[in-house]
Amino acid sequence: MNLALIPLLPLLTAFIPSLFRNRNLNAITAAAIAGTSMLLLLSQAPAVFNGQIPLSSWSWIPAIDLNLSFRVSGFGFMFAFLILGIGLLIVLYARYYIAEQDPMGRFYTYLLLFMGSMLGIVLSENLILLMMFWELTSISSFLLIGFWNYRSDAREGARMALVITGGGGLAMIAGFILLGNIVGSFELTTILAAKETVHAHHLYPLTLILILLGAFTKSAQFPFQFWLPHAMAAPTPVSAYLHSATMVKAGVFLLALLFPVLSGSALWFFIVTPIGLITLMFAAYMAMFKDDLKGLLAYSTVSHLGLITLLLGLGSPLAAFTAVFHILNHATFKAGLFMLAGIIDHETGTRDMKRLSGLWQYMPITGTLTMLGCAAMAGVPLFNGFLSKEMFLAETLGPNLFGSLSWIVPLGATLAAIFAVAYSIRMVHDVFFKEPAANLPKKPHEPPHGMRLPAEILMALCVLVGLFPMTMAAPMVNVAAGSILGAATPDYHIAIWHGLNMALALSVIALIGGSVFYLQRLRLFDSHLWCSRYCDGKMTFEAIVSGLVHGGRKTTRLMENGSLQRYIALLIGAVVVLGASPFIGSDAPFIGPLALSGVDPVTLIMGLVLIFSTVATAIHHRNRIVAIIMLGTVGLIVSLAFIRFSAPDLALTQISVEVVTIILLMMALHLLPRTTPAESSRGRRWRDIILSVAAGGGCTALMMGVLTRPYDTIAGYFLENSKPGGGGTNVVNVILVDFRGFDTLGEITVLVIAGLAIYALLHNFELKAPQTDALGHPWTEDRFPMILAQITRPLMPLALLFAVYIFLRGHNEPGGGFIAGLIVASVLILQYIANGIVWTRPRLNVDNHIIMAWGLVIAVLTGVGSWIVGYPFLTSSFTYLQWPLVGKFEVASAIAFDLGVFLAVVGSVMLVLVKLGSINSVDAQRVSTSVQKEKKDKEGAH
Amino acid sequence: MELLFSTCLGVMISCGVYLMLRGRTFPVILGLTLLGYAVNMFLFVSGRLQTNLPAVIAPDRLQYTDPLPQALVLTAIVIGFAMVAFVVVLALRASGELGSDHVDGRKENKS
Amino acid sequence: MNHLIVAPLLLPLLMGAIIVIGVNRSITLHRTLGLISSALITLITAVLLYQAINGPIQMYVLGDWNPPFGIIMVLDRLSAMMIFITSLLAFLCLLYAIKGTDEQGKNFHALFQFQLLGINGAFLTGDIFNLFVFFEVMLLSSYGLVLHGGGARRTKAGMHYVMLNLVGSSIFLVGVGVLYGLLGSLNMADMAVRLAHAPAENAALLQAGGLILFGVFALKAALLPLYFWLPNAYGFTSAPVAALFAVMTKVGVYVILRVYTLIFGDHAGVAANVLAPWLLPIALVTLVAGSIGVVASRDLRRTIAYMVVVSVGTLLAVIGTFTADAIAAAIVYLPHTTFMTAAMFLIADMLRQQRLDSGSELTPDRPVGQERVLGLLFLGAAVAIAGLPPLSGFTAKLMMLMGVQSHAAAPWIWSLILLGGLVGLIALGRAGSVIFWKTVPLDDTGLEAFSKKPHANIPRFGSACLVPVLMLLAISPLLVLFGGPLSDFGYAVAAQVSQPVHYIEAVLGSDAVAALLSAGGR
């Protein structure tokens, strides 16, 4: 449990510091949390130093082999110790560094989030778990870099870091999954033992490359190095913590962690070593020319990371040992140096070495500390940097690494070392000596002691390790390296003096050469100008991203031109292609076995008329009145066709729907332009014609195929059970209200929804109807022809009676609630047309919403009724009883259902048409006035 | 007979699709209605073409047409009607809001 | 018979009708009724989900007419999960909507209930024509909701959405016509059995029927080249509706999964696996196109809309491998992507209201009013959607990657899904930094054009608005925390889906299965 708590504690309690306003409380809580984690970690120390690896594991998501399992290997312990130790110093440092106006609580929250994720990385036993923490560090670093979010460089730096490291992380996910599958487990203990299996597997190269991508992006290795310098826009505590001591080390940590299983192949060597070498040299070179203190330190960090990568690439046990040692050393002096740079910035108001100079007289202590740090960075004897660097140089001299080109590595290493010395000297000399300071933003002075303390501790460590390596560092380095190398751990004696050997010679060369370089720097600066312009990957990155965006915009505009015509064409085209594809290369006969039935002249004529009027509709669509009339004809013939082919119900329905539809269209046309401008280009028309012919032809073909094939249907069942089971002889109607009553319920729901949606659309919406028709004639003043009015009023009761008849007979003969409903609706509408809204509205003063809703309710309740008798929803029951006049008549619960249908239809149709009739602004106000008038009359009556 | 029927249907669908592809709302509505008719016919004849065999049970009748497609088509007709009604109104609303009866609300007369 | 199964349909239907009856009553009444109904449905569907997890496949025979003759509702694990997701999402969206959105137009609550009816119906029904009917219920109410509130951009986008789907409905009927004309049945299970026995000379026609239907489903699910209506329709409609519609595309996904495993699965004889060669490539291209849209869009809401497209592409690419593991992974991913996109739509809406000058456009504006809480919400949603740990996007994505790795196209699926993730990361990183950080745009002279204060008179959101969003977001960590049980559930669903015999047996009994097997299907 303790194990899991070490990383989880900071993660789960990260929010606490931001609860307080008081800055000290912020810092204290943060420190307390980190401290607790530290104690938990130290409680593992005995076991670890006995060479054990404490484990703890809970199963979490087996499906993705994700277990909540942790391990404290020696290496992990060392890293965790670094993270927490430096973390604590940073907490103290930040307390003084973060300015009043900045939200300090939030800062510590982010910091703890990062601390927890980082601890998670180094203590995970499960690769997937490690992956999770890995990406978490990307997020928290994003937040920390962007802490001063009002600065554009901070924003850009943050986003760049997120994209590069996050992207690398994605590659790593793939790599990890592959690795896990090769080994058959995602637990490190198993994986680390499976070197042979992994190397033998054909996916090893891909796996390696993907994982390396993740590691290199995180550790800012060439060519991804550029994000790190830009991450320096972060507050200095962040730079010191994330971007020198810990997070950027995650990459090399991973390399070292998987060293036992991945290393040892030619591929490993030939990728990792060169990358390391290039990074080492390039960054060291760049560092010399940075005027920004933090820029210098950033590039120096990159180059040291390259150094570690190079060491791991070399692959020899001692090299790995050295890498571990250098990780430790670098973290110590670089974190300290960043803090000092921060102090200088904080107390002078600038980090620009062009402006800084001669600070020695103002801040001697800071100066001394800086000197110590730089000495360590430059690898001066008696400092910790010297030890690991000399071991490194010794390693680069290892027997022929690149065959005949082996000399490259030591040469590069030495050059880098020279650069390192040069920029270290510059950092001290430019800042603290030369002519006395002038026109600095602030009057420089020593910082408060609390701010300097962390740096003092770290520098003390540098010196102590440098002087007494065997006592101060060796134990931890040994156990750390031991956990990586196992039996192969070299029994190495870290010492300042190894006698006169090549490595020592190189160190000396570096020191002398570095000093020379520094003296000659002015010439170098000129030579460097070109590079400062071109050697920043940021440009490339930005170019790529913006290229991505603009390319994206182009493509999107290309695909989505916002033209419905194109979208519909695409839809039709897609379906035509899909539907046609099976016939390509299918040898089965297209026309089925059944013989075609003969054509009688009447039907033939009907067909020809249908074709004619259809085509006419299409051709004359721009003359809208004609088009509507033609369309009406089509509808008529369709209903005739239904009669012709034994579907009287359909015919009735079609007719009545036809009537209402046409009314609707006419009303709409009254408010729309009368004609359509010819606007389609020739090509467009041809495209459309081809497409429509394809669609039509396709359907004809499909139908021929279907009609000429036999099929056995479930229809027989309906015919048999309609009378005995459904109590009706009109099978179609019984299907509608009984067998498939649920469809009908849905259908009337659709009608009701249509009513609602349309009402909502037309609510508070007025449209000015044109005052003249297409030919420019004004409308007649006599809006409601007298004769029509006189006829329709008496007609109404008759029509209603007929509707009732249609409704009642529906169950046995063609008819039913729906048709009856439409009849009633059209009659009522006729009233409106004949007598006008002003006359009719007050006389039909019910809200159609309510009618149709009741229809729905009745239908549903009928269905629910069957529950009472223990049957499923919509089960119908029926009985026969003797009615006066009508005679023996069968009453089915379905009748009630049909009543619901009837009401829903009447209500929705009326709702739509009346609303539609009253949106013409002219009529609208006529109505409102008339209604008010009616009200007045009523009141007068009472 | 089947051929005649299928041809009519093909023509209706072609014209329907063609109208759907026009730029103004009104022809599009025409096209939708036409398409609706055609599709209903299509569904209808999936129960094959029968002459004088209405699916009304009578003692003396032995053969009936397949009533199921008819029931389906009835539902389809109603739903189709609801949809057309909605589109018509939507077209009005659009011409009011966009000041043009073009399906993309474009003012200028080019396509 | 378990009447609970039809409750998720009858309840919204009845409640919708009642709300309509009270059309002239106060909006408060409508709100209460709507909320009560949605809450009840959520509870009921939760119970149903529980039953489905632990019990066999259940069937509800409407009108007591046994299949294949009557219409049936089928509750298996998949449909149970879908209706639960829908109802929960709907409830939370409604909670947000009653803070004013519902007053921008008429009949919002009735339409909302009917919308729920349509979606749940589409998930539950076991009858292909009834599916059509519920599609229409769903679509017509969605038309109403998309256009709710009006406005030029909304109306235009809505019109495109409506017209396309109307064409889609016609195509649906053609497909059904072909299939009925050859198989003579509408019950999906029965169709499966009959299809298994279909003679070889009908092969092409049957496959055509199946693929024509796919055209319609692809339109609903928003696959390339049929998703172009989506960015505007979702981007410009009111936030709660857009959030609810996060589940609409999933209806398409569900139907594809259902129809092409149940009817056109391995056992389907001459039309077996008719979709297999199409789905995967189309889905992958959609994924790419969607990602392009994500980086390209200048407006947060449209960015999210494109992310819906990406998620559909991802889902169907994974499903397109038609292996049990992949389907299980898709089942785990589906709730995550639905709820998170929904949450993001709501967050985007709150941001839009607090950035008066630029709304949801990704241009610098004054600071957001409730910068702290909204920033936190945005960060959460962004992390989840971008598939970063510790939220559900990460685990779901991982499971999908592992689920498809045995498939031949795995390298493609892997690289595209991961790249899609990277693109999402870039886009959301940019969006977040512009909205929350780049809050002080400089004018040409390099001076601060605005003060660093938020706009005066912006709405501030109380808990009433924040709670639904928080609840939506809270789902993500839960999905991770209980990732174990969730993935087990995924496998359980996949077991049912990839072995349709269970479904068929539950509906038609063992004889039908025997008949199916005799036809040589698996």
Side-chain angles (χ1 to χ4, degrees):
Chain A
M1 191 58 221
N2 305 1
L3 278 194
L5 270 183
I6 299 172
L8 295 185
L9 186 74
L11 281 177
L12 299 178
T13 58
F15 66 95
I16 292 179
S18 50
L19 296 180
F20 306 103
R21 291 239 167 282
N22 178 315
R23 293 157 60 81
N24 290 325
L25 270 179
N26 297 144
I28 291 166
T29 42
I33 293 165
T36 328
S37 274
M38 182 59 129
L39 292 179
L40 288 170
L41 178 71
L42 291 178
S43 70
Q44 304 294 332
V48 173
F49 279 91
N50 292 340
Q52 301 155 322
I53 297 184
L55 282 172
S56 74
S57 177
W58 295 271
S59 171
W60 188 356
I61 306 180
I64 54 174
D65 297 286
L66 172 56
N67 300 324
L68 198 61
S69 52
F70 295 92
R71 75 206 302 253
V72 188
S73 68
F75 189 46
F77 181 86
M78 180 187 101
F79 246 95
F81 186 78
L82 271 180
I83 295 161
L84 288 165
I86 297 185
L88 280 162
L89 297 178
I90 291 290
V91 170
L92 173 59
Y93 179 78
R95 162 65 187 80
Y96 295 93
Y97 183 89
I98 298 295
E100 295 288 347
Q101 65 273 20
D102 290 328
M104 181 174 265
R106 196 186 294 186
F107 178 82
Y108 281 122
T109 300
Y110 293 163
L111 204 67
L112 286 174
L113 275 180
F114 167 77
M115 188 183 283
S117 343
M118 194 64 206
L119 286 167
I121 292 182
V122 299
L123 296 180
S124 292
E125 156 77 354
N126 177 291
L127 267 194
I128 305 293
L129 189 64
L130 190 155
M131 192 63 240
M132 294 185 77
F133 289 119
W134 182 277
E135 293 289 46
L136 270 176
T137 55
S138 303
I139 300 174
S140 41
S141 115
F142 173 75
L143 295 172
L144 280 167
I145 301 174
F147 184 70
W148 285 329
N149 50 51
Y150 43 84
R151 290 169 38 179
S152 72
D153 60 338
R155 292 194 300 267
E156 284 155 15
R159 266 162 52 197
M160 194 153 45
L162 178 68
V163 171
I164 299 287
T165 58
L170 290 173
M172 204 162 91
I173 294 181
F176 275 3
I177 299 179
L178 289 175
L179 182 58
N181 292 326
I182 295 173
V183 179
S185 156
F186 285 84
E187 302 300 302
L188 273 169
T189 320
T190 328
I191 291 173
L192 293 180
K195 178 167 184 170
E196 290 69 20
T197 339
V198 174
H199 282 257
H201 199 280
H202 70 281
L203 282 178
Y204 166 72
L206 180 59
T207 314
L208 179 65
I209 290 169
L210 288 170
I211 295 180
L212 287 181
L213 261 176
F216 286 168
T217 46
K218 199 80 163 179
S219 279
Q221 293 302 292
F222 187 87
F224 306 108
Q225 79 290 344
F226 57 88
W227 71 264
L228 187 51
H230 291 283
M232 292 303 143
T236 303
V238 177
S239 318
Y241 193 31
L242 275 69
H243 304 119
S244 74
T246 55
M247 187 182 90
V248 291
K249 294 265 180 26
V252 286
F253 168 82
L254 194 75
L255 291 184
L257 183 70
L258 297 177
F259 185 83
V261 50
L262 291 181
S263 74
S265 71
L267 191 62
W268 167 279
F269 177 77
F270 282 108
I271 296 178
V272 180
T273 316
I275 294 283
L277 185 60
I278 296 170
T279 318
L280 166 67
M281 293 175 62
F282 173 74
Y285 171 78
M286 293 294 287
M288 287 194 295
F289 305 103
K290 285 290 160 191
D291 297 323
D292 174 8
L293 270 177
K294 282 176 75 176
L296 182 155
L297 289 174
Y299 270 108
S300 148
T301 308
V302 175
S303 94
H304 279 271
L305 290 168
L307 184 158
I308 298 166
T309 312
L310 171 55
L311 276 169
L312 290 167
L314 295 174
S316 73
L318 191 49
F321 182 90
T322 317
V324 174
F325 188 26
H326 194 70
I327 289 175
L328 196 61
N329 295 336
H330 176 257
T332 338
F333 65 71
K334 189 56 64 68
L337 281 173
F338 264 107
M339 292 180 182
L340 292 164
I343 290 175
I344 296 167
D345 183 10
H346 201 260
E347 305 307 336
T348 65
T350 175
R351 304 191 314 236
D352 185 348
M353 282 189 278
K354 285 220 185 68
R355 301 179 63 184
L356 291 166
S357 66
L359 291 182
W360 182 260
Q361 52 193 359
Y362 303 104
M363 30 203 329
I365 307 173
T366 311
T368 329
L369 293 171
T370 314
M371 277 186 209
L372 298 178
C374 289
M377 180 160 68
V380 175
L382 304 185
F383 292 93
N384 60 354
F386 168 75
L387 300 166
S388 45
K389 188 167 260 175
E390 190 178 49
M391 290 162 72
F392 157 70
L393 290 170
E395 278 309 301
T396 57
L397 294 165
N400 59 341
L401 301 163
F402 287 92
S404 58
L405 293 177
S406 306
W407 51 270
I408 285 186
V409 183
L411 177 66
T414 323
L415 267 175
I418 293 173
F419 298 155
V421 174
Y423 63 68
S424 306
I425 299 177
R426 179 178 179 206
M427 181 165 174
V428 176
H429 184 257
D430 276 16
V431 174
F432 290 96
F433 303 102
K434 301 206 302 190
E435 69 280 11
N439 61 40
L440 291 171
K442 286 189 192 170
K443 172 114 182 60
H445 58 77
E446 284 290 348
H449 188 253
M451 190 171 186
R452 214 173 50 215
L453 182 61
E456 289 171 354
I457 296 174
L458 288 169
M459 288 316 157
L461 281 173
C462 292
V463 180
L464 288 174
V465 172
L467 292 174
F468 317 106
M470 284 316 279
T471 42
M472 294 302 298
M476 185 175 274
V477 176
N478 279 317
V479 69
S483 72
I484 299 172
L485 300 167
T489 319
D491 175 17
Y492 185 79
H493 180 81
I494 311 175
I496 306 168
W497 181 254
H498 287 288
L500 289 168
N501 58 13
M502 196 59 192
L504 184 63
L506 292 180
S507 305
V508 177
I509 295 174
L511 287 170
I512 299 166
S515 330
V516 177
F517 258 71
Y518 176 69
L519 298 175
Q520 298 303 320
R521 66 183 180 285
L522 294 176
R523 279 203 205 90
L524 285 172
F525 274 110
D526 308 339
S527 75
H528 171 69
L529 283 175
W530 65 270
C531 197
S532 60
R533 214 172 293 118
Y534 302 111
C535 293
D536 187 350
K538 182 171 183 239
M539 320 298 176
T540 337
F541 175 82
E542 304 267 309
I544 291 173
V545 170
S546 66
L548 204 61
V549 172
H550 288 102
R553 295 210 169 119
K554 266 210 193 64
T555 341
T556 323
R557 267 199 304 279
L558 224 62
M559 291 193 296
E560 299 164 44
N561 61 351
S563 150
L564 177 63
Q565 290 159 284
R566 167 188 289 193
Y567 300 166
I568 293 181
L570 277 171
L571 174 57
I572 305 270
V575 173
V576 168
V577 171
L578 282 166
S581 60
F583 298 97
I584 297 159
S586 98
D587 46 6
F590 187 79
I591 299 300
L594 297 187
L596 303 183
S597 52
V599 182
D600 56 292
V602 184
T603 324
L604 182 61
I605 294 165
M606 263 169 52
L608 294 179
V609 177
L610 180 67
I611 295 181
F612 167 78
S613 40
T614 313
V615 177
T617 319
I619 294 176
H620 295 294
H621 72 269
R622 282 201 257 97
N623 181 342
R624 299 186 169 184
I625 300 284
V626 177
I628 290 189
I629 295 167
M630 282 302 154
L631 190 67
T633 332
V634 176
L636 233 66
I637 307 241
V638 169
S639 36
L640 285 181
F642 284 142
I643 298 181
R644 167 70 183 75
F645 296 109
S646 16
D649 283 277
L650 290 187
L652 268 174
T653 320
Q654 183 66 59
I655 288 279
S656 30
V657 167
E658 190 58 31
V659 172
V660 181
T661 313
I662 296 298
I663 295 177
L664 199 72
L665 286 177
M666 296 305 275
M667 289 171 107
L669 196 51
H670 177 53
L671 298 166
L672 283 173
R674 289 292 168 297
T675 56
T676 312
E679 52 187 6
S680 303
S681 64
R682 211 156 214 320
R684 165 64 63 88
R685 273 208 208 88
W686 275 109
R687 181 200 79 178
D688 297 350
I689 289 174
I690 292 169
L691 203 53
S692 21
V693 169
C699 287
T700 313
L702 281 177
M703 172 167 295
M704 282 309 286
V706 171
L707 287 183
T708 50
R709 280 174 167 75
Y711 80 127
D712 76 282
T713 156
I714 53 178
Y717 179 89
F718 298 118
L719 295 164
E720 287 153 23
N721 293 282
S722 167
K723 191 105 177 77
T729 53
N730 176 3
V731 186
V732 176
N733 182 277
V734 176
I735 293 179
L736 278 175
V737 297
D738 196 342
F739 291 106
R740 296 186 68 89
F742 204 54
D743 277 347
T744 312
L745 187 58
E747 154 197 334
I748 59 175
T749 316
V750 170
L751 272 180
V752 171
I753 300 170
L756 293 174
I758 290 173
Y759 188 87
L761 266 186
L762 295 180
H763 187 66
N764 308 340
F765 176 70
E766 288 191 349
L767 211 49
K768 193 93 179 62
Q771 285 311 302
T772 67
D773 67 4
L775 308 170
H777 308 132
W779 304 115
T780 156
E781 262 321 295
D782 159 24
R783 295 175 71 90
F784 310 114
M786 180 56 71
I787 306 146
L788 188 57
Q790 290 320 319
I791 296 173
T792 49
R793 292 179 195 179
L795 194 70
M796 192 153 166
L798 288 175
L800 293 181
L801 203 62
F802 176 63
V804 174
Y805 168 69
I806 287 286
F807 174 81
L808 286 181
R809 65 172 241 160
H811 218 43
N812 297 316
E813 293 296 315
F818 180 78
I819 300 167
L822 280 183
I823 292 174
V824 170
S826 15
V827 172
L828 294 178
I829 284 306
L830 199 55
Q831 297 304 315
Y832 275 94
I833 296 175
N835 307 304
I837 243 169
V838 182
W839 181 85
T840 322
R841 168 67 69 78
R843 284 166 182 72
L844 291 172
N845 206 358
V846 271
D847 191 330
N848 296 306
H849 274 107
I850 297 172
I851 298 181
M852 66 180 188
W854 271 116
L856 218 45
V857 173
I858 291 175
V860 175
L861 291 183
T862 327
V864 175
S866 48
W867 282 354
I868 302 157
V869 278
Y871 281 103
F873 183 68
L874 273 182
T875 312
S876 76
S877 54
F878 58 89
T879 148
Y880 296 85
L881 39 89
Q882 198 65 31
W883 279 30
L885 304 177
V886 190
K888 180 167 177 296
F889 190 83
E890 161 268 352
V891 205
S893 63
I895 294 280
F897 183 76
D898 225 6
L899 179 66
V901 176
F902 172 81
L903 289 177
V905 172
V906 177
S908 47
V909 174
M910 291 305 293
L911 183 66
V912 173
L913 292 181
V914 173
K915 187 74 184 168
L916 189 52
S918 58
I919 60 169
N920 181 346
S921 44
V922 188
D923 302 347
Q925 46 95 354
R926 291 162 67 114
V927 174
S928 52
T929 50
S930 77
V931 172
Q932 274 141 25
K933 186 167 146 295
E934 287 293 326
K935 278 217 188 69
K936 276 200 208 68
D937 300 355
K938 280 210 187 69
E939 282 146 16
H942 296 317
Chain B
M1 193 69 83
E2 283 79 3
L3 189 56
L4 173 65
F5 201 98
S6 318
T7 324
C8 295
L9 194 119
V11 173
M12 287 167 81
I13 291 199
S14 302
C15 295
V17 170
Y18 181 78
L19 288 172
M20 287 286 319
L21 291 169
R22 297 301 99 214
R24 301 281 160 173
T25 50
F26 188 77
V28 172
I29 293 169
L30 291 181
L32 270 175
T33 328
L34 216 44
L35 214 54
Y37 293 149
V39 170
N40 293 340
M41 301 270 265
F42 194 109
L43 194 56
F44 168 62
V45 295
S46 66
R48 305 299 185 268
L49 296 172
Q50 310 285 3
T51 310
N52 300 328
L53 300 175
V56 179
I57 307 294
D60 52 348
R61 266 219 224 100
L62 301 173
Q63 261 202 320
Y64 299 97
T65 177
D66 181 344
L68 189 50
Q70 297 195 13
L72 304 186
V73 172
L74 259 173
T75 312
I77 291 178
V78 179
I79 291 180
F81 164 69
M83 292 297 171
V84 169
F86 181 80
V87 177
V88 168
V89 174
L90 177 54
L92 289 179
R93 173 90 193 202
S95 67
E97 291 233 21
L98 309 173
S100 142
D101 69 335
H102 192 285
V103 283
D104 305 330
R106 283 206 250 98
K107 302 265 194 310
E108 77 283 15
N109 283 2
K110 67 166 190 59
S111 164
Chain C
M1 190 162 301
N2 179 2
H3 294 308
L4 216 53
I5 297 178
V6 281
L9 309 179
L10 298 187
L11 203 55
L13 175 52
L14 212 49
M15 204 53 102
I18 292 171
I19 293 177
V20 178
I21 289 176
V23 62
N24 301 325
R25 300 295 182 75
S26 74
I27 184 108
T28 335
L29 179 71
H30 294 188
R31 285 172 176 167
T32 359
L33 290 177
L35 280 177
I36 291 172
S37 157
S38 310
L40 274 178
I41 298 168
T42 315
L43 291 181
I44 293 171
T45 46
V47 175
L48 288 174
L49 180 59
Y50 177 79
Q51 292 179 357
I53 292 173
N54 305 318
I57 299 179
Q58 298 185 62
M59 161 174 77
Y60 191 87
V61 181
L62 288 146
D64 206 23
W65 296 106
N66 284 324
F69 308 108
I71 296 175
I72 56 165
M73 298 290 126
V74 182
L75 182 88
D76 67 347
R77 299 199 181 105
L78 181 57
S79 51
M81 176 183 89
M82 297 312 292
I83 56 174
F84 176 66
I85 292 179
T86 310
S87 316
L88 180 57
L89 179 62
F91 176 65
L92 295 175
C93 293
L94 199 55
L95 273 182
Y96 185 92
I98 59 172
K99 288 293 139 201
T101 315
D102 56 353
E103 285 173 310
Q104 293 165 2
K106 281 224 116 354
N107 292 337
F108 178 85
H109 288 280
L111 287 171
F112 196 89
Q113 291 301 314
F114 290 130
Q115 179 75 78
L116 213 48
L117 162 71
I119 301 179
N120 285 345
F123 286 140
L124 279 174
T125 186
D127 180 292
I128 192 91
F129 188 79
N130 192 243
L131 176 67
F132 167 78
V133 174
F134 275 117
F135 265 5
E136 298 309 301
V137 173
M138 176 179 92
L139 288 172
L140 195 39
S141 16
S142 75
Y143 302 158
L145 288 176
V146 164
L147 293 157
H148 173 78
R153 289 194 311 178
R154 197 173 284 182
T155 310
K156 183 188 156 199
M159 179 143 72
H160 288 187
Y161 172 65
V162 172
M163 300 275 186
L164 277 168
N165 277 294
L166 287 178
V167 182
S169 308
S170 308
I171 299 170
F172 194 127
L173 286 180
V174 173
V176 172
V178 172
L179 291 179
Y180 179 79
L182 294 169
L183 300 177
S185 182
L186 296 168
N187 177 299
M188 294 203 232
D190 192 35
M191 289 170 83
V193 178
R194 289 164 178 256
L195 193 52
H197 293 276
E201 74 261 20
N202 292 4
L205 278 171
L206 287 165
Q207 293 170 6
L211 288 174
I212 289 174
L213 284 183
F214 173 63
V216 186
F217 302 153
L219 177 68
K220 301 260 177 302
L223 283 172
L224 196 78
L226 306 181
Y227 74 79
F228 298 146
W229 54 270
L230 189 143
N232 289 333
Y234 282 33
F236 295 146
T237 188
S238 62
V241 174
L244 177 65
F245 280 18
V247 84
M248 288 281 261
T249 50
K250 309 301 183 297
V251 177
V253 175
Y254 163 87
V255 176
I256 289 174
L257 182 55
R258 173 68 78 208
V259 168
Y260 297 98
T261 53
L262 175 57
I263 304 182
F264 294 94
D266 302 337
H267 51 73
V270 295
N273 303 323
V274 61
L275 192 56
W278 295 88
L279 188 53
L280 182 57
I282 295 180
L284 285 178
V285 184
T286 310
L287 174 51
V288 173
S291 312
I292 292 176
V294 168
V295 276
S297 68
R298 291 185 177 85
D299 179 297
L300 180 56
R301 290 184 297 168
R302 282 172 57 86
T303 315
I304 310 164
Y306 278 108
M307 282 173 170
V308 174
V309 177
V310 173
S311 79
V312 166
T314 315
L315 264 173
L316 285 177
V318 174
I319 291 175
T321 63
F322 287 108
T323 60
D325 288 4
I327 293 176
I331 295 303
V332 171
Y333 177 68
L334 197 147
H336 150 76
T337 181
T338 309
F339 288 119
M340 289 310 114
T341 26
M344 201 51 147
F345 271 121
L346 296 183
I347 295 167
D349 182 55
M350 293 197 263
L351 292 174
R352 180 183 60 78
Q353 296 182 43
Q354 292 197 338
R355 305 173 77 233
L356 295 183
D357 295 328
S358 41
S360 62
E361 277 173 28
L362 296 178
T363 50
D365 194 346
R366 296 199 213 167
V368 177
Q370 290 153 297
E371 182 252 354
R372 211 164 182 170
V373 55
L374 289 186
L376 215 58
L377 292 179
F378 180 88
L379 180 68
V383 166
I385 290 179
L388 293 175
L391 293 183
S392 49
F394 179 75
T395 46
K397 194 169 280 182
L398 222 52
M399 187 162 173
M400 288 194 291
L401 294 180
M402 293 185 175
V404 299
Q405 62 192 352
S406 56
H407 192 273
W412 287 101
I413 308 177
W414 273 34
S415 38
L416 289 182
I417 287 184
L418 289 173
L419 284 179
L422 182 59
V423 168
L425 195 65
I426 296 176
L428 288 170
R430 198 177 66 223
S433 97
V434 168
I435 292 173
F436 292 100
W437 290 355
K438 201 173 181 182
T439 50
V440 188
L442 305 176
D443 59 19
D444 321 344
T445 62
L447 299 169
E448 293 186 359
F450 296 144
S451 75
K452 283 180 71 176
K453 295 268 164 295
H455 290 275
N457 64 41
I458 51 167
R460 299 191 70 80
F461 299 102
S463 52
C465 275
L466 296 173
V467 163
V469 184
L470 273 172
M471 289 166 88
L472 277 171
L473 281 182
I475 294 172
S476 184
L478 289 180
L479 290 177
V480 179
L481 219 52
F482 299 100
L486 179 66
S487 52
D488 295 344
F489 174 70
Y491 285 118
V493 173
Q496 276 184 347
V497 172
S498 53
Q499 289 299 322
V501 282
H502 302 311
Y503 186 104
I504 294 168
E505 182 161 21
V507 173
L508 299 172
S510 44
D511 315 0
V513 175
L516 183 72
L517 299 178
S518 73
R522 275 204 282 98

